[in-house]
């Protein structure tokens, strides 16, 4: 694939083009065996199209990743294989981005050199975890491969629709971002669901970050709400997190 022009489109589940998505081309890194690197992203046009010119080096393009803007209602897509011939189509599932404004008790932005924001997904219920483990064991038992996973799932007696619902709910994990000089942090392409909002602060003389619970989390705009201190995200939103600075 060396020297090849890589082009394609980014669309939603209905095949409609998505403008403004940042697409990255991941290439094999000749300096580090088994590693990849990416160049600056290319942004899709009004027809959802993107194009990467041929690489001047002897490395090959290996995968594509797509990251929507924070105000676009889509999930990020990583590790999309490049079509052997012709254009590559990247399909983005519904999702959301979040812009967090972190302020102190007086409403002033938090110091960008000290603070980070974390969105941590709530852990799935034990019953759901057990069910997913059982599904995984059955997949291993029947030797499912990516190219025919759906037919193998059906043959194994697994409810494909239910499995998709579990997959779309996301797993356990957290996304972290530093705040900028305006006290803002952006999280693109998240899976919708429930998140715990936390802040972390660099304390002088300490290597570890100190966890700080916010005084208040409120939705400023967008399709989200705060329930029992958790952020319930259904679409792109802007959230304000207020913290007492001396709490750290």
């Amino acid at each position: 694939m060396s020297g090849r022009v890589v082009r394609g489109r980014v669309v939603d589940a209905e095949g409609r083009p998505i403008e403004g998505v940042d697409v990255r081309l991941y290439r094999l890194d000749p300096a580090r065996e088994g590693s990849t690197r990416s160049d600056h992203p290319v942004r899709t046009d009004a027809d959802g199209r993107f194009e990467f010119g041929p690489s001047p080096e002897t490395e090959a393009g290996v995968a594509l990743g797509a990251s929507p803007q924070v105000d676009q209602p889509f999930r990020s897509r990583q590790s999309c294989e490049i079509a052997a011939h012709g254009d590559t189509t990247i399909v983005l599932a519904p999702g959301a981005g979040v812009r967090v404004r972190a302020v102190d008790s007086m409403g002033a932005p938090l110091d960008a050199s000290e603070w980070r924001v974390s969105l941590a997904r709530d852990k799935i219920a034990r019953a759901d975890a057990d069910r997913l483990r059982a599904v995984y064991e059955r997949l291993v038992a029947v030797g499912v491969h990516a190219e025919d996973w759906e037919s193998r799932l059906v043959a194994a007696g697994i409810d494909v629709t239910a499995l998709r619902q579990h997959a779309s709910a996301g797993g356990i994990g957290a996304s972290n971002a530093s705040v900028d000089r305006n006290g803002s942090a952006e999280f693109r392409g998240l899976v919708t669901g429930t998140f715990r909002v936390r802040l972390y602060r660099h304390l002088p003389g300490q290597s570890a970050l100190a966890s700080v619970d916010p005084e208040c989390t409120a939705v400023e705009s967008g399709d989200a709400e705060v329930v029992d201190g958790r952020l319930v995200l259904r679409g792109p939103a802007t959230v304000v997190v207020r913290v007492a600075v001396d709490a750290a």
Side-chain angles (χ1 to χ4, degrees):
M1 201 174 291
S2 176
R4 173 189 167 190
V5 173
V6 176
R7 60 171 63 92
R9 296 180 76 211
V10 177
V11 300
D12 64 14
E14 304 299 323
R16 293 170 296 206
I18 307 174
E19 181 180 5
V21 175
D22 288 337
V23 180
R24 287 185 180 273
L25 173 63
Y26 295 92
R27 307 176 189 269
L28 295 175
D29 188 345
R32 300 176 61 188
E33 185 176 354
S35 299
T36 60
R37 70 183 185 187
S38 67
D39 300 324
H40 291 295
V42 170
R43 187 158 293 183
T44 58
D45 64 17
D47 196 36
R49 296 192 177 279
F50 63 87
E51 180 176 313
F52 292 90
S55 170
E57 303 175 25
T58 58
E59 58 189 60
V62 293
L64 291 166
S67 179
Q69 303 304 310
V70 70
D71 58 350
Q72 293 180 313
F74 300 101
R75 293 175 57 179
S76 291
R77 174 73 181 269
Q78 300 296 332
S79 191
C80 174
E81 293 185 2
I82 298 172
H85 303 285
D87 291 358
T88 300
T89 299
I90 303 175
V91 181
L92 297 188
V98 179
R99 180 177 288 108
V100 178
R101 292 200 305 111
V103 300
D104 63 21
S105 298
M106 302 301 293
L110 296 183
D111 189 336
S113 65
E114 295 184 16
W115 292 88
R116 293 183 65 84
V117 178
S118 169
L119 295 182
R121 181 172 297 283
D122 278 355
K123 294 183 178 181
I124 60 176
R126 178 60 183 271
D128 289 342
D130 290 342
R131 183 180 183 281
L132 288 174
R133 188 177 300 107
V135 169
Y136 172 76
E137 291 172 352
R138 295 180 71 180
L139 294 181
V140 172
V142 298
V144 173
H145 298 286
E147 60 270 19
D148 61 351
W149 69 271
E150 187 164 338
S151 61
R152 295 291 188 90
L153 286 172
V154 174
I158 295 172
D159 186 338
V160 176
T161 300
L163 182 61
R164 282 179 177 153
Q165 289 174 347
H166 280 289
S168 65
I172 302 168
S175 299
N176 300 279
S178 297
V179 300
D180 61 22
R181 59 185 177 183
N182 297 313
S184 296
E186 292 188 349
F187 300 85
R188 298 186 185 187
L190 300 174
V191 178
T192 55
T194 303
F195 296 84
R196 180 177 57 191
V197 183
R198 301 289 296 274
L199 293 104
Y200 292 87
R201 189 181 187 188
H202 293 273
L203 294 178
Q206 296 187 19
S207 57
L209 295 176
S211 175
V212 181
D213 288 322
E215 286 184 309
C216 175
T217 301
V219 177
E220 187 173 80
S221 62
D223 191 7
E225 62 180 327
V226 177
V227 179
D228 295 330
R230 300 290 202 268
L231 175 65
V232 181
L233 182 66
R234 293 182 292 267
T238 297
V239 176
V240 178
V241 179
R242 192 179 301 274
V243 61
V245 173
D246 59 1

